[in-house]
Structures are given as structure tokens and as C-alpha cells.
Amino acid sequence: MDDTRQRFMYRVCGFGDHTEWKIVEFLEELDDVQVCSWCGVVSTKAAVLSCSHMVCEECRAIAYKAAVPVCWIDKETLSSEVKQIDHSLNSALQYRKVHCVNFDTGWDYAHRIDQLDEHLRTACAFYLKECSKCEESVVYKDLVSHYKACKGLAGVFVRAVDGQPLLDDILNARRELEQALALTSSEVRDTVGSLTDQLEMLRSQLTMRSGGRADNRKLSDCRQ
């Protein structure tokens, strides 16, 4: 790759879930009417304000939350009149060519910006996501087949606010198992021991994801 070439980097919005708010390199510099005058984002949803500046939908929404909205550049008071960007300008933007977001790692892709999301989902060999079971980095297009064959333990995803009650329930269940183990045969002890190992792994995952406290004793101690 030629490090001396001029690069046209823009953050994009509205072109797909896998490109949302990513910095993308365009092959050519964009026109002013294709870039938000306030934040520099390239968005599929844009409008021209009464001050004649073109802004993305996100910036416009923030500005009009103020009691008296003003332009962030010239401080002109904004009227309620907003002109949506002409359809032909949006169409022209869709046809602008970009490099893959993984261009610097070796994937020489140069196609339309509106095709980049599909490229990342179905073709890019450098677009990686973490498997929630084994926590290994996997090429996104192969993630489904990897997940089906993965031997890792399925992850547990909870909101932080829900994590502590679940941790408390697991701790109480562990204590009950400890009491029951003292009255059981060795065969049952081994079975329950396996279950406590699984509970310990679940507890560890919840602790990491919820930020809740955790009892330092291992459930595997129940086997002893």
C-alpha cells in the first residue's frame, strides 16, 4: 500500500449495521453537501438548516432540543424550517466508492459505499467477531458454522441491574448443595459436583458482565 497517497477518511452513518459509525476511506474526496457541516459525519439522513448548513440527522436533533436552537458554526438562530437533502444527492452518495474498513490489513476491496455492509457480512476475510462461547476471534461470515461446532460454553448476557440478584440466587443454591452433599452417596456427590462446576462457571460469567460482587470460594470445593 502506498503510504504517501492522499486518504479521504470519513465516519459514516446509515449504511448498515456493520458499518455504523465506522471510519471509512473513500477513494475520492466528498462534496461539502455530502458531509455534515457540524460533525463531519457522512450520513444517509441529512438536512439543510435555515442557516444554509447541511447537517446530519443526529446533529439536527441535538440542536433542536435547545430552547433557542442556533447554528454551531455561525451562531445564527435557526428557524423551524428544515429542507431535506435532494434525493439525487443521496443517490450520488450511495455510488461513491470506498475501501474495505480492513484495507490496511490486506483486503483490497473497492466498491460502492452502499455495498460495504454486505461485503463485511458475506465476503471479508479480515472482518472478525468474538465467539460468545469460546471467546476466539472468528471471521464474521463463518461465525454461524463456527458457533454450531464450537465446544465452548454458551455465554450469558444480562443487564448490570439484573446481575446481582442472579449472583445471590446462585450463591444460595451453592450453599444448599453443600448441605445436601453431606448426606448423599459418592455417586450422587459426583453428579452434584458436576452441576456445581457449571454453576461456578455461570457465576463467573455473570460477575464479569454485571460488575456484581462474587463469593471467592469455588463451587468445585463442594466435591471435597
Side-chain angles (χ1 to χ4, degrees):
M1 184 180 64
D2 182 8
D3 293 332
T4 63
R5 65 185 175 83
Q6 187 174 5
R7 306 183 70 176
F8 306 105
M9 315 294 290
Y10 301 91
R11 192 175 297 277
V12 300
C13 175
F15 294 94
D17 293 340
H18 297 274
T19 60
E20 197 71 353
W21 297 108
K22 283 186 168 61
I23 295 178
V24 175
E25 180 178 358
F26 285 73
L27 271 62
E28 298 177 340
E29 186 175 10
L30 299 182
D31 300 328
D32 289 343
V33 293
Q34 295 175 323
V35 182
C36 177
S37 299
W38 289 359
C39 71
V41 164
V42 177
S43 175
T44 57
K45 295 182 179 180
V48 178
L49 304 179
S50 59
C51 61
S52 298
H53 287 117
M54 195 286 290
V55 298
C56 64
E57 178 64 24
E58 289 74 16
C59 284
R60 188 191 70 81
I62 293 173
Y64 277 88
K65 286 181 180 179
V68 181
V70 297
C71 174
W72 298 353
I73 297 176
D74 56 27
K75 308 305 179 183
E76 177 182 329
T77 300
L78 300 174
S79 71
S80 58
E81 181 183 0
V82 176
K83 298 178 182 179
Q84 295 299 318
I85 287 295
D86 185 83
H87 176 71
S88 62
L89 291 176
N90 266 332
S91 297
L93 178 60
Q94 304 284 342
Y95 282 91
R96 288 285 194 160
K97 289 190 175 182
V98 298
H99 287 297
C100 174
V101 294
N102 298 301
F103 177 72
D104 289 338
T105 59
W107 192 259
D108 190 12
Y109 166 95
H111 288 285
R112 289 165 31 182
I113 177 63
D114 63 343
Q115 297 173 338
L116 179 57
D117 189 79
E118 181 180 2
H119 161 74
L120 293 175
R121 288 187 293 105
T122 63
C124 185
F126 294 90
Y127 183 49
L128 306 178
K129 289 291 183 179
E130 182 181 285
C131 172
S132 61
K133 295 172 70 175
C134 67
E135 299 184 348
E136 294 292 330
S137 294
V138 181
V139 176
Y140 184 85
K141 64 185 180 67
D142 300 328
L143 193 57
V144 173
S145 58
H146 167 86
Y147 194 85
K148 290 179 179 178
C150 184
K151 302 300 183 182
L153 182 68
V156 177
F157 301 94
V158 295
R159 298 180 303 168
V161 69
D162 298 326
Q164 190 57 52
L166 285 172
L167 286 170
D168 291 338
D169 289 343
I170 291 174
L171 181 60
N172 291 333
R174 191 197 72 179
R175 289 169 177 165
E176 292 176 3
L177 285 171
E178 288 177 332
Q179 295 172 3
L181 280 173
L183 306 174
T184 59
S185 66
S186 59
E187 182 178 351
V188 175
R189 185 187 299 272
D190 290 341
T191 301
V192 175
S194 176
L195 291 174
T196 57
D197 284 345
Q198 295 180 41
L199 281 173
E200 170 62 24
M201 191 171 298
L202 175 61
R203 183 192 66 83
S204 298
Q205 291 179 350
L206 289 171
T207 300
M208 290 187 293
R209 287 178 167 83
S210 69
R213 63 175 178 80
D215 192 301
N216 290 326
R217 295 178 60 195
K218 297 291 185 180
L219 287 171
S220 56
D221 293 342
C222 296
R223 286 183 169 178
Q224 301 176 357

